[in-house]
PDB file of all heavy atoms in Angstrom:
ATOM      1  N   GLY A   1      30.154  -8.558   7.655  1.00  0.00           N
ATOM      2  CA  GLY A   1      31.349  -7.861   8.106  1.00  0.00           C
ATOM      3  C   GLY A   1      32.549  -7.986   7.191  1.00  0.00           C
ATOM      4  O   GLY A   1      33.596  -7.385   7.463  1.00  0.00           O
ATOM      5  N   GLU A   2      32.438  -8.746   6.086  1.00  0.00           N
ATOM      6  CA  GLU A   2      33.583  -8.890   5.197  1.00  0.00           C
ATOM      7  C   GLU A   2      33.821  -7.603   4.421  1.00  0.00           C
ATOM      8  O   GLU A   2      32.898  -6.902   4.030  1.00  0.00           O
ATOM      9  CB  GLU A   2      33.364 -10.071   4.250  1.00  0.00           C
ATOM     10  CG  GLU A   2      33.354 -11.403   4.981  1.00  0.00           C
ATOM     11  CD  GLU A   2      33.420 -12.584   4.039  1.00  0.00           C
ATOM     12  OE1 GLU A   2      33.666 -12.369   2.832  1.00  0.00           O
ATOM     13  OE2 GLU A   2      33.244 -13.728   4.511  1.00  0.00           O
ATOM     14  N   SER A   3      35.082  -7.299   4.169  1.00  0.00           N
ATOM     15  CA  SER A   3      35.495  -5.968   3.723  1.00  0.00           C
ATOM     16  C   SER A   3      34.931  -5.561   2.370  1.00  0.00           C
ATOM     17  O   SER A   3      34.731  -4.365   2.122  1.00  0.00           O
ATOM     18  CB  SER A   3      37.025  -5.884   3.682  1.00  0.00           C
ATOM     19  OG  SER A   3      37.548  -6.865   2.799  1.00  0.00           O
ATOM     20  N   GLN A   4      34.637  -6.519   1.461  1.00  0.00           N
ATOM     21  CA  GLN A   4      34.218  -6.124   0.121  1.00  0.00           C
ATOM     22  C   GLN A   4      32.854  -5.440   0.096  1.00  0.00           C
ATOM     23  O   GLN A   4      32.511  -4.759  -0.855  1.00  0.00           O
ATOM     24  CB  GLN A   4      34.220  -7.325  -0.835  1.00  0.00           C
ATOM     25  CG  GLN A   4      33.192  -8.405  -0.507  1.00  0.00           C
ATOM     26  CD  GLN A   4      33.790  -9.509   0.329  1.00  0.00           C
ATOM     27  OE1 GLN A   4      34.691  -9.247   1.124  1.00  0.00           O
ATOM     28  NE2 GLN A   4      33.305 -10.728   0.139  1.00  0.00           N
ATOM     29  N   HIS A   5      32.056  -5.625   1.145  1.00  0.00           N
ATOM     30  CA  HIS A   5      30.772  -4.926   1.210  1.00  0.00           C
ATOM     31  C   HIS A   5      30.522  -4.377   2.620  1.00  0.00           C
ATOM     32  O   HIS A   5      29.410  -4.418   3.126  1.00  0.00           O
ATOM     33  CB  HIS A   5      29.615  -5.836   0.768  1.00  0.00           C
ATOM     34  CG  HIS A   5      29.679  -7.224   1.322  1.00  0.00           C
ATOM     35  ND1 HIS A   5      29.686  -7.497   2.668  1.00  0.00           N
ATOM     36  CD2 HIS A   5      29.760  -8.417   0.685  1.00  0.00           C
ATOM     37  CE1 HIS A   5      29.743  -8.798   2.855  1.00  0.00           C
ATOM     38  NE2 HIS A   5      29.799  -9.386   1.660  1.00  0.00           N
ATOM     39  N   ASN A   6      31.587  -3.880   3.226  1.00  0.00           N
ATOM     40  CA  ASN A   6      31.444  -3.264   4.543  1.00  0.00           C
ATOM     41  C   ASN A   6      32.245  -1.957   4.601  1.00  0.00           C
ATOM     42  O   ASN A   6      33.471  -1.989   4.527  1.00  0.00           O
ATOM     43  CB  ASN A   6      31.939  -4.212   5.638  1.00  0.00           C
ATOM     44  CG  ASN A   6      31.476  -3.784   7.017  1.00  0.00           C
ATOM     45  OD1 ASN A   6      30.481  -3.074   7.157  1.00  0.00           O
ATOM     46  ND2 ASN A   6      32.196  -4.204   8.032  1.00  0.00           N
ATOM     47  N   PRO A   7      31.573  -0.806   4.630  1.00  0.00           N
ATOM     48  CA  PRO A   7      30.113  -0.686   4.761  1.00  0.00           C
ATOM     49  C   PRO A   7      29.398  -0.932   3.429  1.00  0.00           C
ATOM     50  O   PRO A   7      29.979  -0.749   2.366  1.00  0.00           O
ATOM     51  CB  PRO A   7      29.941   0.766   5.188  1.00  0.00           C
ATOM     52  CG  PRO A   7      31.062   1.482   4.508  1.00  0.00           C
ATOM     53  CD  PRO A   7      32.230   0.522   4.587  1.00  0.00           C
ATOM     54  N   LEU A   8      28.121  -1.316   3.532  1.00  0.00           N
ATOM     55  CA  LEU A   8      27.248  -1.361   2.364  1.00  0.00           C
ATOM     56  C   LEU A   8      26.498  -0.037   2.327  1.00  0.00           C
ATOM     57  O   LEU A   8      25.836   0.336   3.295  1.00  0.00           O
ATOM     58  CB  LEU A   8      26.268  -2.532   2.459  1.00  0.00           C
ATOM     59  CG  LEU A   8      25.202  -2.592   1.355  1.00  0.00           C
ATOM     60  CD1 LEU A   8      25.828  -2.688  -0.024  1.00  0.00           C
ATOM     61  CD2 LEU A   8      24.252  -3.766   1.611  1.00  0.00           C
ATOM     62  N   PHE A   9      26.617   0.655   1.214  1.00  0.00           N
ATOM     63  CA  PHE A   9      26.037   1.999   1.083  1.00  0.00           C
ATOM     64  C   PHE A   9      24.954   1.942  -0.005  1.00  0.00           C
ATOM     65  O   PHE A   9      25.260   1.761  -1.187  1.00  0.00           O
ATOM     66  CB  PHE A   9      27.133   3.005   0.707  1.00  0.00           C
ATOM     67  CG  PHE A   9      26.751   4.441   0.890  1.00  0.00           C
ATOM     68  CD1 PHE A   9      27.154   5.155   2.007  1.00  0.00           C
ATOM     69  CD2 PHE A   9      25.979   5.094  -0.065  1.00  0.00           C
ATOM     70  CE1 PHE A   9      26.811   6.488   2.168  1.00  0.00           C
ATOM     71  CE2 PHE A   9      25.628   6.426   0.087  1.00  0.00           C
ATOM     72  CZ  PHE A   9      26.045   7.121   1.212  1.00  0.00           C
ATOM     73  N   LEU A  10      23.683   2.070   0.402  1.00  0.00           N
ATOM     74  CA  LEU A  10      22.558   2.084  -0.533  1.00  0.00           C
ATOM     75  C   LEU A  10      22.159   3.528  -0.799  1.00  0.00           C
ATOM     76  O   LEU A  10      21.917   4.284   0.144  1.00  0.00           O
ATOM     77  CB  LEU A  10      21.363   1.317   0.047  1.00  0.00           C
ATOM     78  CG  LEU A  10      21.606  -0.139   0.450  1.00  0.00           C
ATOM     79  CD1 LEU A  10      20.358  -0.727   1.091  1.00  0.00           C
ATOM     80  CD2 LEU A  10      22.045  -0.972  -0.745  1.00  0.00           C
ATOM     81  N   TYR A  11      22.097   3.917  -2.064  1.00  0.00           N
ATOM     82  CA  TYR A  11      21.766   5.310  -2.369  1.00  0.00           C
ATOM     83  C   TYR A  11      20.715   5.389  -3.473  1.00  0.00           C
ATOM     84  O   TYR A  11      20.570   4.486  -4.297  1.00  0.00           O
ATOM     85  CB  TYR A  11      23.018   6.091  -2.768  1.00  0.00           C
ATOM     86  CG  TYR A  11      23.650   5.646  -4.071  1.00  0.00           C
ATOM     87  CD1 TYR A  11      23.314   6.252  -5.277  1.00  0.00           C
ATOM     88  CD2 TYR A  11      24.587   4.609  -4.097  1.00  0.00           C
ATOM     89  CE1 TYR A  11      23.889   5.835  -6.478  1.00  0.00           C
ATOM     90  CE2 TYR A  11      25.159   4.188  -5.289  1.00  0.00           C
ATOM     91  CZ  TYR A  11      24.811   4.801  -6.468  1.00  0.00           C
ATOM     92  OH  TYR A  11      25.363   4.392  -7.653  1.00  0.00           O
ATOM     93  N   GLY A  12      19.992   6.490  -3.462  1.00  0.00           N
ATOM     94  CA  GLY A  12      18.955   6.724  -4.465  1.00  0.00           C
ATOM     95  C   GLY A  12      17.886   7.634  -3.904  1.00  0.00           C
ATOM     96  O   GLY A  12      17.865   7.927  -2.696  1.00  0.00           O
ATOM     97  N   PRO A  13      16.972   8.108  -4.756  1.00  0.00           N
ATOM     98  CA  PRO A  13      15.917   9.018  -4.305  1.00  0.00           C
ATOM     99  C   PRO A  13      15.051   8.393  -3.217  1.00  0.00           C
ATOM    100  O   PRO A  13      15.029   7.173  -3.020  1.00  0.00           O
ATOM    101  CB  PRO A  13      15.098   9.269  -5.585  1.00  0.00           C
ATOM    102  CG  PRO A  13      16.033   8.948  -6.706  1.00  0.00           C
ATOM    103  CD  PRO A  13      16.922   7.846  -6.204  1.00  0.00           C
ATOM    104  N   THR A  14      14.315   9.229  -2.521  1.00  0.00           N
ATOM    105  CA  THR A  14      13.471   8.765  -1.420  1.00  0.00           C
ATOM    106  C   THR A  14      12.332   7.891  -1.920  1.00  0.00           C
ATOM    107  O   THR A  14      11.860   8.031  -3.048  1.00  0.00           O
ATOM    108  CB  THR A  14      12.901   9.970  -0.646  1.00  0.00           C
ATOM    109  OG1 THR A  14      12.146   9.493   0.484  1.00  0.00           O
ATOM    110  CG2 THR A  14      11.980  10.807  -1.515  1.00  0.00           C
ATOM    111  N   GLY A  15      11.911   6.964  -1.047  1.00  0.00           N
ATOM    112  CA  GLY A  15      10.728   6.170  -1.336  1.00  0.00           C
ATOM    113  C   GLY A  15      10.920   5.004  -2.271  1.00  0.00           C
ATOM    114  O   GLY A  15       9.947   4.506  -2.840  1.00  0.00           O
ATOM    115  N   LEU A  16      12.158   4.508  -2.433  1.00  0.00           N
ATOM    116  CA  LEU A  16      12.403   3.415  -3.383  1.00  0.00           C
ATOM    117  C   LEU A  16      12.692   2.083  -2.704  1.00  0.00           C
ATOM    118  O   LEU A  16      12.971   1.104  -3.382  1.00  0.00           O
ATOM    119  CB  LEU A  16      13.562   3.776  -4.310  1.00  0.00           C
ATOM    120  CG  LEU A  16      13.370   5.027  -5.174  1.00  0.00           C
ATOM    121  CD1 LEU A  16      14.556   5.212  -6.107  1.00  0.00           C
ATOM    122  CD2 LEU A  16      12.075   4.934  -5.977  1.00  0.00           C
ATOM    123  N   GLY A  17      12.654   2.032  -1.376  1.00  0.00           N
ATOM    124  CA  GLY A  17      12.833   0.763  -0.683  1.00  0.00           C
ATOM    125  C   GLY A  17      14.170   0.552  -0.020  1.00  0.00           C
ATOM    126  O   GLY A  17      14.484  -0.562   0.405  1.00  0.00           O
ATOM    127  N   LYS A  18      14.981   1.596   0.103  1.00  0.00           N
ATOM    128  CA  LYS A  18      16.295   1.438   0.741  1.00  0.00           C
ATOM    129  C   LYS A  18      16.133   1.028   2.213  1.00  0.00           C
ATOM    130  O   LYS A  18      16.835   0.137   2.693  1.00  0.00           O
ATOM    131  CB  LYS A  18      17.094   2.747   0.636  1.00  0.00           C
ATOM    132  CG  LYS A  18      17.351   3.216  -0.785  1.00  0.00           C
ATOM    133  CD  LYS A  18      18.278   4.410  -0.834  1.00  0.00           C
ATOM    134  CE  LYS A  18      17.729   5.627  -0.101  1.00  0.00           C
ATOM    135  NZ  LYS A  18      16.498   6.165  -0.721  1.00  0.00           N
ATOM    136  N   THR A  19      15.219   1.680   2.917  1.00  0.00           N
ATOM    137  CA  THR A  19      14.984   1.350   4.322  1.00  0.00           C
ATOM    138  C   THR A  19      14.451  -0.072   4.453  1.00  0.00           C
ATOM    139  O   THR A  19      14.861  -0.818   5.358  1.00  0.00           O
ATOM    140  CB  THR A  19      13.983   2.337   4.942  1.00  0.00           C
ATOM    141  OG1 THR A  19      14.517   3.667   4.859  1.00  0.00           O
ATOM    142  CG2 THR A  19      13.713   2.001   6.401  1.00  0.00           C
ATOM    143  N   HIS A  20      13.557  -0.465   3.564  1.00  0.00           N
ATOM    144  CA  HIS A  20      13.017  -1.823   3.583  1.00  0.00           C
ATOM    145  C   HIS A  20      14.157  -2.832   3.459  1.00  0.00           C
ATOM    146  O   HIS A  20      14.231  -3.806   4.233  1.00  0.00           O
ATOM    147  CB  HIS A  20      12.020  -1.986   2.429  1.00  0.00           C
ATOM    148  CG  HIS A  20      11.271  -3.289   2.447  1.00  0.00           C
ATOM    149  ND1 HIS A  20       9.938  -3.369   2.154  1.00  0.00           N
ATOM    150  CD2 HIS A  20      11.667  -4.565   2.706  1.00  0.00           C
ATOM    151  CE1 HIS A  20       9.544  -4.633   2.246  1.00  0.00           C
ATOM    152  NE2 HIS A  20      10.590  -5.379   2.569  1.00  0.00           N
ATOM    153  N   LEU A  21      15.048  -2.616   2.500  1.00  0.00           N
ATOM    154  CA  LEU A  21      16.137  -3.567   2.279  1.00  0.00           C
ATOM    155  C   LEU A  21      17.088  -3.646   3.473  1.00  0.00           C
ATOM    156  O   LEU A  21      17.479  -4.737   3.897  1.00  0.00           O
ATOM    157  CB  LEU A  21      16.914  -3.175   1.024  1.00  0.00           C
ATOM    158  CG  LEU A  21      16.338  -3.653  -0.305  1.00  0.00           C
ATOM    159  CD1 LEU A  21      17.171  -3.127  -1.469  1.00  0.00           C
ATOM    160  CD2 LEU A  21      16.275  -5.181  -0.350  1.00  0.00           C
ATOM    161  N   MET A  22      17.491  -2.499   4.006  1.00  0.00           N
ATOM    162  CA  MET A  22      18.449  -2.539   5.117  1.00  0.00           C
ATOM    163  C   MET A  22      17.825  -3.205   6.342  1.00  0.00           C
ATOM    164  O   MET A  22      18.479  -3.977   7.041  1.00  0.00           O
ATOM    165  CB  MET A  22      19.000  -1.143   5.455  1.00  0.00           C
ATOM    166  CG  MET A  22      18.017  -0.202   6.089  1.00  0.00           C
ATOM    167  SD  MET A  22      18.759   1.095   7.161  1.00  0.00           S
ATOM    168  CE  MET A  22      20.265   1.528   6.369  1.00  0.00           C
ATOM    169  N   GLN A  23      16.527  -2.939   6.587  1.00  0.00           N
ATOM    170  CA  GLN A  23      15.884  -3.573   7.732  1.00  0.00           C
ATOM    171  C   GLN A  23      15.620  -5.058   7.476  1.00  0.00           C
ATOM    172  O   GLN A  23      15.574  -5.859   8.412  1.00  0.00           O
ATOM    173  CB  GLN A  23      14.586  -2.854   8.068  1.00  0.00           C
ATOM    174  CG  GLN A  23      14.803  -1.467   8.649  1.00  0.00           C
ATOM    175  CD  GLN A  23      13.614  -0.978   9.452  1.00  0.00           C
ATOM    176  OE1 GLN A  23      12.865  -1.756  10.018  1.00  0.00           O
ATOM    177  NE2 GLN A  23      13.449   0.330   9.510  1.00  0.00           N
ATOM    178  N   ALA A  24      15.455  -5.435   6.206  1.00  0.00           N
ATOM    179  CA  ALA A  24      15.298  -6.853   5.879  1.00  0.00           C
ATOM    180  C   ALA A  24      16.536  -7.634   6.300  1.00  0.00           C
ATOM    181  O   ALA A  24      16.438  -8.785   6.758  1.00  0.00           O
ATOM    182  CB  ALA A  24      15.037  -7.028   4.384  1.00  0.00           C
ATOM    183  N   VAL A  25      17.718  -7.031   6.139  1.00  0.00           N
ATOM    184  CA  VAL A  25      18.958  -7.673   6.597  1.00  0.00           C
ATOM    185  C   VAL A  25      18.908  -7.872   8.103  1.00  0.00           C
ATOM    186  O   VAL A  25      19.222  -8.955   8.620  1.00  0.00           O
ATOM    187  CB  VAL A  25      20.189  -6.837   6.208  1.00  0.00           C
ATOM    188  CG1 VAL A  25      21.461  -7.472   6.766  1.00  0.00           C
ATOM    189  CG2 VAL A  25      20.296  -6.697   4.698  1.00  0.00           C
ATOM    190  N   GLY A  26      18.496  -6.823   8.821  1.00  0.00           N
ATOM    191  CA  GLY A  26      18.408  -6.927  10.278  1.00  0.00           C
ATOM    192  C   GLY A  26      17.408  -7.978  10.730  1.00  0.00           C
ATOM    193  O   GLY A  26      17.686  -8.785  11.637  1.00  0.00           O
ATOM    194  N   ASN A  27      16.231  -7.989  10.115  1.00  0.00           N
ATOM    195  CA  ASN A  27      15.215  -8.979  10.482  1.00  0.00           C
ATOM    196  C   ASN A  27      15.686 -10.403  10.193  1.00  0.00           C
ATOM    197  O   ASN A  27      15.462 -11.320  10.988  1.00  0.00           O
ATOM    198  CB  ASN A  27      13.914  -8.694   9.726  1.00  0.00           C
ATOM    199  CG  ASN A  27      13.091  -7.588  10.382  1.00  0.00           C
ATOM    200  OD1 ASN A  27      12.957  -7.558  11.599  1.00  0.00           O
ATOM    201  ND2 ASN A  27      12.547  -6.696   9.583  1.00  0.00           N
ATOM    202  N   ALA A  28      16.335 -10.595   9.035  1.00  0.00           N
ATOM    203  CA  ALA A  28      16.819 -11.928   8.678  1.00  0.00           C
ATOM    204  C   ALA A  28      17.928 -12.393   9.626  1.00  0.00           C
ATOM    205  O   ALA A  28      17.985 -13.563  10.018  1.00  0.00           O
ATOM    206  CB  ALA A  28      17.318 -11.930   7.236  1.00  0.00           C
ATOM    207  N   LEU A  29      18.812 -11.467  10.006  1.00  0.00           N
ATOM    208  CA  LEU A  29      19.896 -11.822  10.922  1.00  0.00           C
ATOM    209  C   LEU A  29      19.334 -12.242  12.279  1.00  0.00           C
ATOM    210  O   LEU A  29      19.764 -13.240  12.869  1.00  0.00           O
ATOM    211  CB  LEU A  29      20.860 -10.639  11.091  1.00  0.00           C
ATOM    212  CG  LEU A  29      21.992 -10.839  12.105  1.00  0.00           C
ATOM    213  CD1 LEU A  29      22.868 -12.027  11.699  1.00  0.00           C
ATOM    214  CD2 LEU A  29      22.833  -9.574  12.231  1.00  0.00           C
ATOM    215  N   LEU A  30      18.346 -11.491  12.772  1.00  0.00           N
ATOM    216  CA  LEU A  30      17.773 -11.819  14.075  1.00  0.00           C
ATOM    217  C   LEU A  30      16.944 -13.101  14.023  1.00  0.00           C
ATOM    218  O   LEU A  30      16.808 -13.791  15.036  1.00  0.00           O
ATOM    219  CB  LEU A  30      16.920 -10.653  14.571  1.00  0.00           C
ATOM    220  CG  LEU A  30      17.749  -9.481  15.108  1.00  0.00           C
ATOM    221  CD1 LEU A  30      16.921  -8.227  15.228  1.00  0.00           C
ATOM    222  CD2 LEU A  30      18.355  -9.838  16.455  1.00  0.00           C
ATOM    223  N   GLN A  31      16.397 -13.404  12.869  1.00  0.00           N
ATOM    224  CA  GLN A  31      15.679 -14.671  12.735  1.00  0.00           C
ATOM    225  C   GLN A  31      16.656 -15.840  12.823  1.00  0.00           C
ATOM    226  O   GLN A  31      16.366 -16.869  13.441  1.00  0.00           O
ATOM    227  CB  GLN A  31      14.931 -14.712  11.410  1.00  0.00           C
ATOM    228  CG  GLN A  31      14.052 -15.955  11.248  1.00  0.00           C
ATOM    229  CD  GLN A  31      13.239 -15.916   9.978  1.00  0.00           C
ATOM    230  OE1 GLN A  31      13.599 -15.221   9.030  1.00  0.00           O
ATOM    231  NE2 GLN A  31      12.152 -16.649   9.942  1.00  0.00           N
ATOM    232  N   ALA A  32      17.820 -15.673  12.198  1.00  0.00           N
ATOM    233  CA  ALA A  32      18.829 -16.740  12.211  1.00  0.00           C
ATOM    234  C   ALA A  32      19.594 -16.777  13.535  1.00  0.00           C
ATOM    235  O   ALA A  32      19.940 -17.850  14.032  1.00  0.00           O
ATOM    236  CB  ALA A  32      19.801 -16.546  11.055  1.00  0.00           C
ATOM    237  N   LYS A  33      19.861 -15.579  14.100  1.00  0.00           N
ATOM    238  CA  LYS A  33      20.635 -15.483  15.349  1.00  0.00           C
ATOM    239  C   LYS A  33      19.923 -14.530  16.300  1.00  0.00           C
ATOM    240  O   LYS A  33      20.212 -13.318  16.323  1.00  0.00           O
ATOM    241  CB  LYS A  33      22.045 -14.973  15.051  1.00  0.00           C
ATOM    242  CG  LYS A  33      22.850 -15.884  14.123  1.00  0.00           C
ATOM    243  CD  LYS A  33      24.233 -15.302  13.848  1.00  0.00           C
ATOM    244  CE  LYS A  33      25.046 -16.197  12.935  1.00  0.00           C
ATOM    245  NZ  LYS A  33      26.385 -15.616  12.636  1.00  0.00           N
ATOM    246  N   PRO A  34      18.980 -15.028  17.096  1.00  0.00           N
ATOM    247  CA  PRO A  34      18.173 -14.159  17.973  1.00  0.00           C
ATOM    248  C   PRO A  34      18.988 -13.324  18.950  1.00  0.00           C
ATOM    249  O   PRO A  34      18.514 -12.292  19.423  1.00  0.00           O
ATOM    250  CB  PRO A  34      17.267 -15.156  18.711  1.00  0.00           C
ATOM    251  CG  PRO A  34      17.189 -16.331  17.791  1.00  0.00           C
ATOM    252  CD  PRO A  34      18.541 -16.431  17.146  1.00  0.00           C
ATOM    253  N   ASN A  35      20.211 -13.738  19.266  1.00  0.00           N
ATOM    254  CA  ASN A  35      21.021 -12.988  20.221  1.00  0.00           C
ATOM    255  C   ASN A  35      21.900 -11.920  19.561  1.00  0.00           C
ATOM    256  O   ASN A  35      22.673 -11.243  20.246  1.00  0.00           O
ATOM    257  CB  ASN A  35      21.910 -13.941  21.022  1.00  0.00           C
ATOM    258  CG  ASN A  35      21.096 -14.810  21.969  1.00  0.00           C
ATOM    259  OD1 ASN A  35      20.134 -14.334  22.565  1.00  0.00           O
ATOM    260  ND2 ASN A  35      21.468 -16.070  22.100  1.00  0.00           N
ATOM    261  N   ALA A  36      21.816 -11.792  18.253  1.00  0.00           N
ATOM    262  CA  ALA A  36      22.618 -10.772  17.567  1.00  0.00           C
ATOM    263  C   ALA A  36      22.215  -9.385  18.044  1.00  0.00           C
ATOM    264  O   ALA A  36      21.049  -9.112  18.335  1.00  0.00           O
ATOM    265  CB  ALA A  36      22.428 -10.891  16.060  1.00  0.00           C
TER     266      ALA A  36
END
């Protein structure tokens, strides 16, 4: 939530792993904080 990278905007052609990376953040956050 800190301003220097909020929002974080990932861009590039399809199929390069943008969805994987953004969901990796979500999975890691829920692993650390299950109630997030």
Side-chain angles (χ1 to χ4, degrees):
E2 293 192 10
S3 59
Q4 66 265 32
H5 44 59
N6 195 23
L8 174 59
F9 195 100
L10 303 176
Y11 66 93
T14 184
L16 299 184
K18 300 187 299 295
T19 300
H20 187 139
L21 276 177
M22 70 153 36
Q23 290 202 28
V25 176
N27 279 317
L29 176 60
L30 284 164
Q31 185 175 23
K33 299 179 180 179
N35 291 321

